[in-house]
Amino acid sequence: MTIQTSRRTALKALLAAPAVGALAGAVQAQTAPVEAPAGAPVFPAPNTAPSIHQVGDTPPPWPTWDGPVPTDWVDPKTGHRIVRLSGDEGGNKLYFYRSMFTPEGDVFVFSSSAGIIKVELNNGFRRSVLIADGNAELLLTGRKTRTVYYTVVDPGEGQPGDRGRTLFAADIDSGQSRRIAHLEQGGFSSINADETLCVGTVAYGAPPLQPDAPDPRNRRAGQAEYAALGPDGRPLNFAKAKGVRMLQRWAARVPMELFVVDLRTGGRRVIHSATDWLNHPQFSPTDPDRIIFSHEGPWHRVDRMWTIKTDGSDLRKLHQRTMNFEIFGHEWFAPDGKSVMYDLQTPRGQVFWVASVDLETGKRIYRRVEQNAWSVHYNTAPDGTVFAGDGGDADMVAHAPDGKWLVLLKPEPLVDGDPDSDQPDLISVEYLRAERLVDMSLHDYRLEPNVTFTPDGQWVLYVSNMHGRNHVYAASVRRD
């Protein structure tokens, strides 16, 4: 007899543990793990992973740094110049695919405890405060106008995601700000190419990603701490604990909506409803009516990548799994908006690709990545000729023994000795040759570096805790 395991059965088998305090790192009261029913999935999912546990009973401490934090130096292991863009108070940059530059490419923005900071890229990285409000949460920059968009969460009790928030727009030159729209619940995510619509999501009754924490977001990491116990009652490492909490949220099947807000009127319109976990909606950088979004959750259990238009039409899946334990995600638009790029593994933790699919033709390209060059996130140079990756530690999905590097990835065609045998309707393949850009050996990957190229393609921006505090850095693509 074949036993079918539902989401909730799998959840009970895999999540037989109470929460661990996210912010304090202290182990909460423990209960004996529930015995997995016959036929339930094995925890963790079988692969070549190292131990699922922490070395100790609590997560490792965050990095520290003694002495002055350098501001401009050449990485001795790579030969690339690095410039610190944030002040001594530190800073955080936006998620890797979000727009963070002016349309002219002369200003970059990031967040700090002082508010929203702007950096003049053509003026020696001159830094100044744009929005002097520590509660202002940077959303992104406009692709048409010199505008910074940010949100402020309503005061009150409860999870931040369950409270209202207001969207503001500020002129990047004058700093003058204006109110755009307010949401009673949910969040804003992306603004379209002509700056007429904002897309967002709302979940009704979703459990927090980190239970028992008043605010599940670890401000330093930019995400939840993801503390959890394994089936034997011992603390899991960060990567495995994150998998536990992601599975828990995915299995909840709470009602969600994908919506757009008119930036001229503030009106809100739902374009898609589901009990799938809707996440990461992104507007095309060129097509104001095209959105991609994800079905979030354990990547081997979800059909992650989807596209839809702003009127709710053309809802379709962008990748079809063809093998067990194949995973794909961390998708982003190519600079021209014609293709969607993504991390693909066939299967998980074994064979690594940076893949793409053409939205119009369906043409696919798979670009092979070596294990030590696999990265939490990839990104594309504005001219599309080179990629960057932000690396990963040994606990992550690639389990790379030497993967803590920022890398440049340069595509090379794989040419068959019999090129006439190539068929245009099949997947094209390339190889990504890695060049090490920044030594990240002191970096704690609970903070994702989130690499982004500058508009001129000459620098890769990232965030790191290698010097204790979170700081924003720029690494030169060229060796000095």
Side-chain angles (χ1 to χ4, degrees):
M1 178 179 67
T2 301
I3 300 176
Q4 301 293 331
T5 57
S6 69
R7 290 174 183 258
R8 297 197 180 277
T9 302
L11 178 62
K12 290 179 180 179
L14 303 184
L15 301 180
V20 175
L23 303 182
V27 178
Q28 306 293 316
Q30 299 182 16
T31 59
V34 177
E35 183 177 353
V42 176
F43 177 83
N47 58 13
T48 58
S51 171
I52 66 174
H53 295 105
Q54 305 283 359
V55 175
D57 291 335
T58 59
W62 289 91
T64 59
W65 181 263
D66 294 326
V69 177
T71 59
D72 194 332
W73 76 101
V74 174
D75 189 311
K77 293 184 178 179
T78 70
H80 288 269
R81 180 188 174 199
I82 303 171
V83 178
R84 174 162 61 91
L85 302 184
S86 49
D88 291 341
E89 75 280 3
N92 275 293
K93 72 177 289 293
L94 286 171
Y95 199 50
F96 74 105
Y97 60 68
R98 292 197 175 186
S99 173
M100 57 197 79
F101 307 98
T102 53
E104 296 79 9
D106 62 325
V107 171
F108 159 67
V109 294
F110 67 91
S111 297
S112 82
S113 58
I116 297 174
I117 309 299
K118 72 176 185 179
V119 176
E120 299 172 38
L121 297 176
N122 300 331
N123 188 20
F125 298 125
R126 181 177 178 270
R127 181 177 61 247
S128 59
V129 177
L130 178 65
I131 304 295
D133 182 355
N135 293 318
E137 297 185 5
L138 178 61
L139 181 64
L140 45 73
T141 57
R143 296 186 182 275
K144 181 180 180 182
T145 67
R146 295 174 67 84
T147 303
V148 167
Y149 294 90
Y150 66 95
T151 63
V152 176
V153 178
D154 292 353
E157 298 180 354
Q159 302 287 345
D162 294 332
R163 303 206 302 266
R165 66 184 59 223
T166 303
L167 176 66
F168 294 89
D171 181 85
I172 208 162
D173 298 309
S174 69
Q176 292 185 335
S177 181
R178 68 186 191 277
R179 182 185 183 277
I180 300 294
H182 181 266
L183 293 177
E184 293 297 330
Q185 188 178 352
F188 302 97
S189 296
S190 181
I191 291 173
N192 65 352
D194 63 7
E195 296 181 55
T196 59
L197 294 174
C198 183
V199 64
T201 59
V202 60
Y204 297 106
L209 280 174
Q210 184 56 51
D212 302 332
D215 183 346
R217 298 171 299 174
N218 182 311
R219 295 288 183 167
R220 183 162 187 181
Q223 59 180 327
E225 182 72 11
Y226 294 117
L229 306 180
D232 58 5
R234 294 171 55 202
L236 299 173
N237 64 35
F238 174 77
K240 291 296 187 294
K242 182 175 181 178
V244 165
R245 297 304 174 201
M246 297 284 280
L247 178 60
Q248 185 179 42
R249 170 62 182 87
W250 167 80
R253 300 293 291 176
V254 300
M256 290 198 68
E257 293 171 347
L258 182 71
F259 60 83
V260 291
V261 172
D262 190 314
L263 297 183
R264 297 157 293 193
T265 67
R268 176 183 178 276
R269 174 168 49 87
V270 175
I271 61 173
H272 179 58
S273 299
T275 57
D276 295 294
W277 182 2
L278 308 178
N279 203 6
H280 291 289
Q282 308 166 48
F283 269 111
S284 163
T286 55
D287 182 349
D289 294 320
R290 175 65 62 188
I291 297 167
I292 60 173
F293 67 97
S294 70
H295 284 185
E296 189 63 90
W299 283 15
H300 60 292
R301 290 180 176 270
V302 295
D303 290 322
R304 180 177 168 100
M305 300 188 334
W306 296 77
T307 186
I308 194 172
K309 288 190 174 182
T310 54
D311 62 0
S313 65
D314 197 28
L315 175 66
R316 53 190 164 98
K317 185 165 52 175
L318 293 177
H319 181 94
Q320 177 61 53
R321 185 180 288 109
T322 58
M323 68 171 62
N324 290 325
F325 224 50
E326 174 181 337
I327 66 171
F328 52 96
H330 283 165
E331 56 283 343
W332 77 100
F333 277 102
D336 61 7
K338 294 180 179 179
S339 299
V340 174
M341 326 289 292
Y342 55 104
D343 172 6
L344 172 66
Q345 299 175 36
T346 55
R348 171 182 170 177
Q350 304 295 321
V351 181
F352 310 96
W353 311 88
V354 175
S356 64
V357 55
D358 188 293
L359 287 167
E360 182 69 24
T361 68
K363 176 64 179 176
R364 298 180 185 275
I365 303 174
Y366 289 2
R367 304 163 183 86
R368 182 77 164 86
V369 181
E370 297 295 342
Q371 181 185 30
N372 283 328
W374 174 84
S375 297
V376 182
H377 301 109
Y378 304 97
N379 219 324
T380 327
D383 64 4
T385 61
V386 65
F387 296 83
D390 54 16
D393 65 28
D395 280 335
M396 292 178 166
V397 65
H399 311 303
D402 188 19
K404 297 182 73 171
W405 302 88
L406 261 58
V407 291
L408 295 172
L409 298 165
K410 301 177 180 179
E412 297 179 1
L414 296 176
V415 181
D416 195 299
D418 181 17
D420 291 341
S421 68
D422 289 348
Q423 300 180 42
D425 58 329
L426 298 182
I427 297 167
S428 295
V429 289
E430 296 178 345
Y431 178 80
L432 290 177
R433 191 167 301 280
E435 175 187 343
R436 288 175 170 174
L437 186 62
V438 180
D439 174 15
M440 300 291 282
S441 58
L442 299 180
H443 178 81
D444 187 323
Y445 272 88
R446 284 176 289 180
L447 174 71
E448 298 172 344
N450 282 309
V451 287
T452 304
F453 283 91
T454 53
D456 62 6
Q458 297 304 303
W459 299 85
V460 172
L461 308 184
Y462 65 101
V463 62
S464 177
N465 49 37
M466 64 173 67
H467 295 123
R469 292 180 184 270
N470 292 3
H471 279 289
V472 181
Y473 301 91
S476 175
V477 169
R478 295 179 299 182
R479 285 193 177 95
D480 289 353

